[in-house]
Amino acid sequence: MIVKHIKVKTALSKSGLKELDYSLNPYFGCAYACTYCYARFFTPQKEASEKWGEVIYVKDNLIEVLGREVSVYKRGIVGVSTITDPYQPVEGIYRLTRASISLLLKKGFRVSIQTKSPLVLRDLDILLERKDLVDVGLTVTTLNDYESIEPKAPPPKARLRALERLSEEGLETWLFIGPIIQGINDNEVEEIIEEVSNVKTRIIFDKFRRYPGLNYRSGNETWWKTIKTKILELCKRYTLECHEESEDWIYEKRRFYKPLF
Ligand code: SF4
């Protein structure tokens, strides 16, 4: 892994995702190197994008820039992160995610964290101080042979334990099952949902979307309908709140922007 440093002009970006107002990515590139990852296609730093999983850029002046932005930007929901994992190993050294979240919460921004790493538990102290402004999602796509698709990511069972702990601490949590890829991990949804059936958490799921250069097929509508029906039935059986990713924003916005609905 090569770690490089960069200075940035902006910290928050307007998010294209309906459930978020802004995104914040403390690093360019991601050490976890998931084979299905499409974040690389949205990464503006060329080297980190082309050598995905091999080169990480640390945004050295991120906190200084974010400090200026949070004083003038309208408050909103910030996704941490959308094109990198905010708790990948470099975060253990540079702590940019922790400092960013701390600053955002102090200024009254809502923070929606998504990660594959139990390192998020390190920041429980700051998350619990403003639990009214925080939600945390852990991603699990498979419980078996995860290294073939997420070669450098933490073990899925460790992610699930982190999710359980966050939930027990009273934080709003969600499990993200995705991307679900036909013939790769679509036969594991039942096992994953069973694993979290005793955790007070919401489930969000999504199918794989094909990008040039990714060698997986995107399943057809009939396949997705079968998988979706199966997931919704399982969630009903275990009384878990469950939404497809494309619909979850409606529930999110309803929770935080009640006047809009
Ligand atoms: S953890 Fe997320 S951002 Fe990192 S490689 Fe995997 S899918 Fe991409």
Side-chain angles (χ1 to χ4, degrees), residues 40-109:
R40 72 185 76 177
F41 305 118
F42 299 95
T43 297
Q45 210 297 324
K46 201 165 175 273
E47 191 184 14
S49 170
E50 287 176 356
K51 297 180 181 167
W52 195 252
E54 294 167 37
V55 181
I56 306 296
Y57 274 81
V58 178
K59 298 181 181 178
D60 279 341
N61 61 337
L62 182 82
I63 306 307
E64 188 190 325
V65 176
L66 182 63
R68 288 199 293 271
E69 291 179 353
V70 290
S71 317
V72 291
Y73 283 18
K74 193 174 168 231
R75 283 183 202 162
I77 306 173
V78 183
V80 180
S81 296
T82 52
I83 55 166
T84 187
D85 194 301
Y87 286 102
Q88 60 178 307
V90 282
E91 171 60 16
I93 301 167
Y94 297 100
R95 299 164 79 96
L96 291 181
T97 298
R98 181 183 170 91
S100 303
I101 291 172
S102 178
L103 189 50
L104 288 164
L105 294 177
K106 268 189 200 125
K107 292 289 181 179
F109 283 75

Side-chain angles (χ1 to χ4, degrees), residues 30-34 36-39 52 82-85 116 150 153:
C30 183
Y32 294 156
C34 306
Y36 54 70
C37 179
Y38 19 80
W52 195 252
T82 52
I83 55 166
T84 187
D85 194 301
K116 287 189 173 91
E150 298 164 346

Side-chain angles (χ1 to χ4, degrees), residues 115-118 120 136-140 159 162-163 166 174-176:
T115 182
K116 287 189 173 91
S117 174
V120 62
V136 186
L138 271 290
T139 304
V140 172
R159 302 176 213 169
L163 183 77
L166 292 160
W174 39 283
L175 171 70
F176 181 65

Side-chain angles (χ1 to χ4, degrees), residues 118-221:
L119 182 59
V120 62
L121 295 175
R122 179 201 64 187
D123 293 345
L124 257 179
D125 56 337
I126 57 169
L127 302 180
L128 289 175
E129 267 176 30
R130 289 307 309 264
K131 59 169 85 163
D132 57 314
L133 289 179
V134 173
D135 61 79
V136 186
L138 271 290
T139 304
V140 172
T141 58
T142 174
L143 294 174
N144 308 297
D145 190 26
Y146 73 95
E147 283 152 312
S148 63
I149 54 174
E150 298 164 346
K152 295 177 191 161
K157 290 271 172 84
R159 302 176 213 169
L160 291 174
R161 281 199 299 274
L163 183 77
E164 190 170 1
R165 171 83 195 282
L166 292 160
S167 171
E168 282 168 0
E169 293 284 350
L171 284 161
E172 185 191 333
T173 61
W174 39 283
L175 171 70
F176 181 65
I177 308 177
I180 299 170
I181 312 169
Q182 187 170 24
I184 301 292
N185 61 346
D186 56 346
N187 60 349
E188 287 195 54
V189 290
E190 184 159 1
E191 199 181 342
I192 297 170
I193 292 171
E194 271 176 10
E195 280 284 331
V196 288
S197 56
N198 292 321
V199 180
K200 192 173 169 290
T201 193
R202 179 162 110 250
I203 291 181
I204 304 172
F205 59 95
D206 200 14
K207 64 181 171 188
F208 172 73
R209 282 152 226 289
R210 198 157 193 291
Y211 284 85
L214 296 179
N215 295 323
Y216 297 114
R217 58 184 166 145
S218 46
N220 62 28
E221 280 308 307

